[in-house]
Amino acid sequence: IVDEAGVNTLILFGGDTLAAVIRRMKIQSLRPVRQLADGVVLCQVDYQGRTFSLVTKAGGFGGENLVETLEAALCQPGDLPTF
């Protein structure tokens, strides 16, 4: 998805999903930027010569409006680092 769609932000729910994706993409480290909500962290990652944002959410966290909360946080100017 990152390669074909050229996305700048990837959101992953669940630790097993995160582990599988970073293993498949051979990502060496996550650099936390800030917490967006309880159990939800915005990180920077390096992948194939570029840096993009990765949002991780632990499986047991988040209310029923979490997706809307994340959308609002991620879509506000200045909230995401620019690369």
Side-chain angles (χ1 to χ4, degrees), residues 2-3 5 10 12 15 20 22 30 33 37 45-46 49 52 54 61-62 64-66 73 75-76 81-83:
V2 173
D3 294 332
L10 188 61
L12 300 173
I22 63 174
L30 305 175
V33 174
V45 297
D46 296 318
F52 69 94
L54 177 65
F61 286 86
E64 66 180 56
N65 295 326
L66 180 63
C75 292
Q76 292 181 8
T82 55
F83 306 109

Side-chain angles (χ1 to χ4, degrees), residues 3-50:
D3 294 332
E4 293 176 15
V7 298
N8 292 320
T9 303
L10 188 61
I11 301 174
L12 300 173
F13 288 3
D16 290 339
T17 302
L18 172 64
V21 169
I22 63 174
R23 195 171 32 250
R24 174 70 185 237
M25 294 176 71
K26 297 182 172 91
I27 292 173
Q28 298 297 312
S29 66
L30 305 175
R31 294 182 306 279
V33 174
R34 69 183 176 97
Q35 183 169 296
L36 299 174
D38 288 341
V40 183
V41 179
L42 171 65
C43 300
Q44 291 178 342
V45 297
D46 296 318
Y47 175 68
Q48 294 189 349
R50 68 183 185 104

Side-chain angles (χ1 to χ4, degrees), residues 69-80:
T69 300
L70 294 178
E71 180 181 26
L74 294 172
C75 292
Q76 292 181 8
D79 262 1
L80 287 179

